[in-house]
Each structure stands twice: as C-alpha cells, then as structure tokens.
Amino acid sequence: MAASDELSVVFAALADPTRRAILSRLRQGPTTVGELAEPFSMSRPAISQHLRVLQNAGLIERTTSAQWRTCTLRTEPLNDASVWIDHHRGLWNERFDLLDERLRELKERSSDG
C-alpha cells in the first residue's frame, strides 16, 4: 500500500470519536476488549468493528491468550501522520505569513491614498 493510502486509512480511523477514545484509553497500556467496551453504550459487535478499523489502520495490535483478547496501541502510524501534519503545517504557516504581509501592504497603500 502506498504511503498516502496508508495515511488515508489512519486518518479515516481517527475520524471517529469512539475510535479516538479507544486509542486514548490504550495510551495507559494494553487492555482487554471487555475493558475497552465498558464506557461505551454500544454492542460488543459494534466495538469489535471499531477495533477492526483500528487494527486495519495499524493503530492497534490484537492478541488472544486463552479467553482474553487484548489490544495494544501501536504508535508508528500516528508518528507517520504527525510527520505529514507537521510538514504541511509549515507550508500553511508560510502561506499565511505571506498573506498577512500582503494584507498589511494593501492596508498601508489604502491608508496612504
């Protein structure tokens, strides 16, 4: 999969507030699926679907040991997304700075005239 396609999958996974809440919970460490599901008023199949999306995006790893299914946060895709955002933030900031400069020039010309 191309890097931009991987980013699309990561950003799509992050677009949902439930999935972001799951990732926030996993920052504290590996957690069972049952513990992840507790704060949400949705069915286990719905939680499983969210976990599948996160796993497909590479944001979590799911393991099974006996009857326990555990999820662990994987930060690599988040790092890749952060690099992309930081790069583009720099470009956007440059453009806004140029726009500010241009607007100042136009304002000065209109005050002088």
Side-chain angles (χ1 to χ4, degrees), residues 6 8 30 51 85 92 111:
E6 291 172 12
S8 295
L51 294 175
I85 290 169
W92 298 326
S111 337

Side-chain angles (χ1 to χ4, degrees), residues 10-102:
V10 170
F11 285 128
L14 295 173
D16 185 273
T18 299
R19 292 192 284 267
R20 290 192 306 272
I22 290 170
L23 292 175
S24 292
R25 169 56 187 89
L26 288 172
R27 287 180 38 211
Q28 300 169 17
T31 307
T32 65
V33 172
E35 291 170 333
L36 285 173
E38 281 176 12
F40 303 104
S41 58
M42 62 180 67
S43 68
R44 289 290 175 108
I47 290 292
S48 290
Q49 185 175 357
H50 284 295
L51 294 175
R52 195 172 309 114
V53 170
L54 291 170
Q55 186 175 14
N56 290 340
L59 293 165
I60 66 168
E61 183 178 342
R62 296 190 335 175
T63 56
T64 304
S65 176
Q67 75 271 21
W68 304 106
R69 282 180 253 147
T70 303
C71 297
T72 306
L73 179 65
R74 293 189 65 239
T75 59
E76 297 86 354
L78 293 172
N79 294 340
D80 294 342
S82 181
V83 166
W84 186 91
I85 290 169
D86 288 344
H87 172 74
H88 286 82
R89 180 183 296 131
L91 295 174
W92 298 326
N93 285 338
E94 282 179 31
R95 290 183 180 153
F96 284 130
D97 289 346
L98 290 171
L99 179 61
D100 282 343
E101 184 178 319
R102 181 70 178 136

